[in-house]
Amino acid sequence: MEEPGVIRKLDQVVVNRIAAGEIIQRPANALKEMIENSLDANATSIQITVKGGGLRSLQIQDNGTGIRREDLAIVCERFTTSKLQSFEDLASISTYGFRGEALASISHVAHLTIVTKTKSQQCAYRACYEDGRLKGDIKPIAGNQGTQITVDELFYNVPMRKQALKTPNEEFQRISDVVSKYAVHNPGACFVLKKYGETATIRTPGRSTVPNNIGLVYGATIGKALVPVVLKDEVLQLTVDGYVTNVNFSQKKPIFLMFINHRAVDCGALKKTIDGIYSVYLAKGSSPFVYISLELNPNNVDVNVHPTKHEVHFLHEEEIVERIKSAVERVLLGGNAARKYTQALLPGAPDPVLDSTKMNETASEADKQPRLDYKYVRTSHSEQKLEKFYGMTQTVVKRELQDEQKPTEVSAPKLTQPSPSRKKKTVKETRLTSVLNLRKRVEADCDERLRKILGELTYVGTIDREQSLIQYDTNMFLTATQPLAAELFYQLLVFNFGNFERLTLSEPLELRRLALLGLADPECGHTEEDGPVEELADRIVEILVEKATLLKEYFNLSIRPDGYLEGLPVLLDNYIPSVVFLPMYILRLATEVEWDEEEECFRTFCRETATFFSRIALTKPDNEYRWEVEHVIYPAVRNYLIPPKTFAQNACLLPIANLPDLYRVFERC
């Protein structure tokens, strides 16, 4: 008979890596833990940057309370936490974290670096960790309040786990799902998610609302279909705040967000119940969007079920699910009357709100009812546009209807976009207070009503070289394209500060010659009292060459020491500014930018650059201008622009028609 194996105690490193595998199953799990740490630290700004699906690099930066210098030595050891002292504290836990295992687990399967600063510390500190231990010395460095955690080469020492993961794009999608959930549930904090070298895929403002963030993250179509679910039960000690889509909305992929005491969790019983409710209203294979937030007495919730904290147990589960079911049924029943407008699209489909005396009506009789087409909302820019009625050539019309086709190259702008295959720069997260202040000012000045309109706009057509027509819901608006573009480019400069690719000039241009052309332009207002133009041109070159290093580092505006302009920043893909306005731009950089004060310097530079980039009219062929406005400018306005309050007063967005009223006029004619 074979002898039994010898029982040995596992090496502590092996134990820790096994334990880490339970908590950190993939990059998205690591990010979830770090986001929750940031929220526990009262962060109002959380920026996440991902490389290689989070396996090569995963970085999160917040403006929370930070970590004390004295705690950095043990912060990555297992079971070290500031949120729990005794087992009894679990009964009233109000923070996301409490085990003290997250950072420790990450450090056992990745290279972990922490840069942090508290309010009382004079500087920030940088520390590196490996296998839960501090690696090297804690070094003082410059930095703002908050914490930046960088996770490099995740699972480098667990190759089987790494091989079992999906592709980088699929892992990034999982990361995006995590950020989306927490961005929706925490509208008071600003969330930004992006890949290295690319623009943000998720960006939500601070001081927002849950429905606004749902629209920003999951799409305007969902945002417009939301109805609130509110419930309060003193007996069950239950409060419910949620949003579900109405019965007119459906999608193939179900989206179910659930939070219990602000923790993202799964609840199969509740999900199954809500799916059953919607099965009465939606076609087979269709699903709703559901966001439910429950607040329960912490004494009734057991969060200590699994290391990932993704599963919780709570008392009175059946009663709570039944109460939520009743609340959802009420709001859906209340919004069901509007379904008669959509049922006409499905010949033979019964109207769910008909009373019992009308249930015997045939589908053909129902189809005889008049279609209220004026109630419909335009949802796609691929539908007929204004150009349909302009007598445009067949070639132009064909290109207008092909969203992904690019305009033909023109010889006037001698600027070339960087090659798609070119290696992109590593994203640099700015910690400059001046830039962060500019971002805060943009967000604080946001007009939420206009943001909703622009965030859900449907492009209708170009009126002329200055104006376009858009639609929001059943309202038509006349928009001033250049002011919208100027504000858009300014915000792109501020929020992508230090992370621009370069537009390269086919031939470098002499700054002095550009300055002389700018001074000769009547727009500059030069008079003889200002001095000889040659001397002014030399001074302009001197100023810009002196500031060349700053312009190159932060904006990728490239000026050679011998006074030649080599390139400009890329602010928006598929967009090249007109070189016709370069002379005036160069002149104003030297004369209008406040170079002596940091914040004002960046603000005025961004404003001047945004003005230059936004001057798109009169310099390009008509078909190229129309393509650029429809397929580049307005999609970017919809996705990125935070409209300032001034837009409500300066006729930048002018309501001109309400479609139901307009159709009534036509009906009388």
Side-chain angles (χ1 to χ4, degrees):
M1 294 181 63
E2 295 183 4
E3 291 295 321
V6 178
I7 297 177
R8 298 182 179 88
K9 187 175 182 179
L10 286 174
D11 183 271
Q12 191 61 39
V13 173
V14 178
V15 172
N16 289 333
R17 288 182 187 171
I18 292 173
E22 293 183 344
I23 299 173
I24 310 303
Q25 300 169 353
R26 57 186 348 116
N29 295 117
L31 179 62
K32 174 181 177 292
E33 298 290 342
M34 293 190 291
I35 288 177
E36 291 179 347
N37 282 345
S38 295
L39 293 170
D40 281 341
N42 301 318
T44 59
S45 175
I46 299 175
Q47 299 186 45
I48 300 126
T49 308
V50 180
K51 189 174 185 180
L55 292 171
R56 293 183 62 185
S57 180
L58 182 62
Q59 184 182 90
I60 181 169
Q61 179 177 343
D62 66 51
N63 63 346
T65 55
I67 302 170
R68 299 190 312 156
R69 162 69 175 80
E70 304 82 50
D71 295 334
L72 285 174
I74 65 168
V75 72
C76 283
E77 293 184 11
R78 292 188 71 191
F79 312 124
T80 56
T81 180
S82 62
K83 304 160 189 173
L84 190 70
Q85 293 185 359
S86 66
F87 185 81
E88 289 72 23
D89 291 341
L90 282 174
S92 57
I93 194 74
S94 61
T95 58
Y96 288 106
F98 57 86
R99 294 176 182 273
E101 287 189 288
L103 291 181
S105 297
I106 295 171
S107 73
H108 283 290
V109 292
H111 302 302
L112 180 67
T113 303
I114 297 177
V115 176
T116 186
K117 179 184 181 299
T118 65
K119 183 178 181 180
S120 60
Q121 289 172 174
Q122 296 299 312
C123 66
Y125 292 93
R126 183 177 186 270
C128 300
Y129 300 87
E130 186 176 294
D131 289 328
R133 302 281 181 183
L134 183 65
K135 184 180 178 182
D137 298 329
I138 300 172
K139 299 178 180 179
I141 63 171
N144 294 327
Q145 180 180 327
T147 302
Q148 175 184 288
I149 300 177
T150 305
V151 179
D152 292 322
E153 302 301 330
L154 187 61
F155 301 128
Y156 75 98
N157 54 2
V158 193
M160 294 303 295
R161 172 63 61 86
K162 194 170 185 177
Q163 292 172 13
L165 295 176
K166 303 293 185 180
T167 65
N169 283 340
E170 289 178 285
E171 293 302 324
F172 182 80
Q173 184 57 52
R174 291 175 183 269
I175 287 172
S176 180
D177 290 342
V178 170
V179 176
S180 298
K181 290 180 180 180
Y182 282 91
V184 165
H185 187 69
N186 298 274
C190 165
F191 281 80
V192 177
L193 169 66
K194 58 185 174 182
K195 296 180 181 180
Y196 272 113
E198 299 184 19
T199 55
T201 57
I202 294 176
R203 173 179 278 130
T204 61
R207 300 184 297 277
S208 183
T209 63
V210 168
N212 185 55
N213 280 9
I214 290 174
L216 289 174
V217 174
Y218 291 99
T221 305
I222 291 178
K224 290 190 291 186
L226 295 175
V227 290
V229 178
V230 180
L231 171 63
K232 193 172 183 66
D233 190 311
E234 299 292 345
V235 176
L236 294 173
Q237 296 178 291
L238 165 71
T239 301
V240 175
D241 286 295
Y243 291 89
V244 299
T245 45
N246 60 39
V247 293
N248 295 324
F249 173 87
S250 67
Q251 58 188 0
K252 290 184 178 180
K253 181 182 178 182
I255 301 177
F256 189 91
L257 280 61
M258 182 172 179
F259 289 79
I260 295 182
N261 290 357
H262 307 291
R263 190 184 307 280
V265 297
D266 288 330
C267 182
L270 181 58
K271 184 178 185 304
K272 184 178 180 180
T273 298
I274 291 181
D275 285 343
I277 297 171
Y278 275 95
S279 66
V280 177
Y281 301 103
L282 304 183
K284 187 176 181 180
S286 299
S287 302
F289 171 93
V290 176
Y291 161 79
I292 297 289
S293 174
L294 280 66
E295 289 197 43
L296 301 168
N297 185 333
N299 292 315
N300 295 342
V301 182
D302 182 6
V303 296
N304 192 33
V305 177
H306 190 273
T308 62
K309 300 187 287 287
H310 198 64
E311 180 182 353
V312 299
H313 291 166
F314 53 94
L315 295 178
H316 315 300
E317 180 175 326
E318 292 184 2
E319 293 90 338
I320 288 173
V321 168
E322 189 62 33
R323 293 287 285 114
I324 296 174
K325 175 186 176 183
S326 300
V328 173
E329 285 176 334
R330 281 196 301 272
V331 299
L332 294 184
L333 187 62
N336 196 31
R339 286 177 62 83
K340 60 187 177 182
Y341 299 127
T342 60
Q343 289 294 325
L345 299 175
L346 303 172
D351 191 331
V353 296
L354 294 176
D355 61 33
S356 58
T357 62
K358 297 183 179 180
M359 288 299 290
N360 293 325
E361 289 186 5
T362 64
S364 59
E365 290 173 335
D367 288 343
K368 294 177 183 179
Q369 299 299 319
R371 286 278 303 275
L372 302 181
D373 286 9
Y374 66 85
K375 293 287 188 181
Y376 293 130
V377 178
R378 183 186 184 97
T379 59
S380 173
H381 64 78
S382 63
E383 299 171 17
Q384 288 186 350
K385 299 184 288 294
L386 289 183
E387 286 81 352
K388 171 78 173 179
F389 309 101
Y390 284 172
M392 296 175 63
T393 65
Q394 184 178 0
T395 302
V396 174
V397 172
K398 182 178 180 181
R399 182 163 63 183
E400 291 284 358
L401 296 177
Q402 294 176 337
D403 292 355
E404 296 181 358
Q405 183 178 345
K406 296 181 181 179
T408 56
E409 294 293 329
V410 294
S411 58
K414 295 184 179 180
L415 290 155
T416 56
Q417 293 262 16
S419 170
S421 61
R422 179 180 173 184
K423 185 178 180 181
K424 294 185 178 180
K425 298 191 306 178
T426 299
V427 169
K428 297 177 290 187
E429 294 295 333
T430 182
R431 302 180 73 86
L432 294 176
T433 302
S434 55
V435 178
L436 298 178
N437 286 342
L438 292 177
R439 294 175 180 177
K440 290 177 182 177
R441 283 160 63 180
V442 169
E443 293 171 349
D445 192 39
C446 174
D447 187 308
E448 291 297 339
R449 184 181 66 87
L450 292 183
R451 183 169 193 165
K452 185 172 180 63
I453 292 172
L454 294 178
E456 300 176 11
L457 73 85
T458 298
Y459 184 82
V460 177
T462 304
I463 300 296
D464 54 30
R465 288 285 177 146
E466 296 179 353
Q467 298 174 309
S468 294
L469 196 63
I470 67 170
Q471 181 176 333
Y472 164 72
D473 198 28
T474 58
N475 298 299
M476 304 291 286
F477 293 87
L478 194 64
T479 58
T481 300
Q482 197 273 337
L484 280 172
E487 185 63 30
L488 168 69
F489 286 125
Y490 171 76
Q491 293 180 15
L492 290 173
L493 282 158
V494 170
F495 283 98
N496 291 331
F497 183 88
N499 294 288
F500 298 102
E501 290 293 322
R502 188 171 78 175
L503 285 168
T504 304
L505 286 157
S506 55
E507 295 181 7
L509 297 177
E510 185 184 6
L511 287 179
R512 190 175 189 278
R513 182 164 175 264
L514 291 173
L516 288 171
L517 290 172
L519 289 167
D521 190 329
E523 183 183 337
C524 83
H526 173 264
T527 64
E528 293 182 358
E529 297 177 356
D530 297 324
V533 291
E534 291 80 5
E535 293 181 7
L536 292 174
D538 290 338
R539 178 57 182 152
I540 289 170
V541 174
E542 180 183 344
I543 292 172
L544 296 181
V545 170
E546 179 185 344
K547 306 299 181 183
T549 302
L550 179 148
L551 297 177
K552 171 72 173 177
E553 179 179 359
Y554 294 129
F555 301 102
N556 214 344
L557 192 154
S558 181
I559 295 175
R560 294 190 334 210
D562 60 355
Y564 277 79
L565 177 67
E566 291 184 311
L568 299 168
V570 175
L571 301 191
L572 203 57
D573 289 343
N574 299 323
Y575 181 79
I576 297 177
S578 176
V579 294
V580 172
F581 299 111
L582 260 178
M584 185 57 63
Y585 173 55
I586 293 300
L587 173 62
R588 292 185 65 85
L589 282 187
T591 59
E592 301 300 324
V593 175
E594 298 291 340
W595 297 104
D596 296 330
E597 197 275 319
E598 183 178 294
E599 183 173 325
E600 193 62 12
C601 168
F602 291 143
R603 187 191 70 81
T604 52
F605 174 86
C606 291
R607 284 296 181 193
E608 292 300 331
T609 303
T611 299
F612 164 59
F613 269 77
S614 67
R615 299 181 72 176
I616 54 179
L618 306 177
T619 62
K620 298 179 180 179
D622 189 67
N623 60 340
E624 182 178 344
Y625 170 79
R626 291 181 183 278
W627 189 96
E628 210 164 50
V629 168
E630 177 178 355
H631 297 291
V632 180
I633 299 298
Y634 276 90
V637 167
R638 182 172 58 242
N639 292 328
Y640 305 123
L641 183 63
I642 302 174
K645 293 182 175 65
T646 54
F647 276 14
Q649 291 89 35
N650 63 5
C652 188
L653 199 68
L654 188 65
I656 58 172
N658 177 276
L659 294 187
D661 294 340
L662 193 60
Y663 274 102
R664 292 190 188 101
V665 172
F666 289 139
E667 288 172 352
R668 290 196 297 268
C669 295

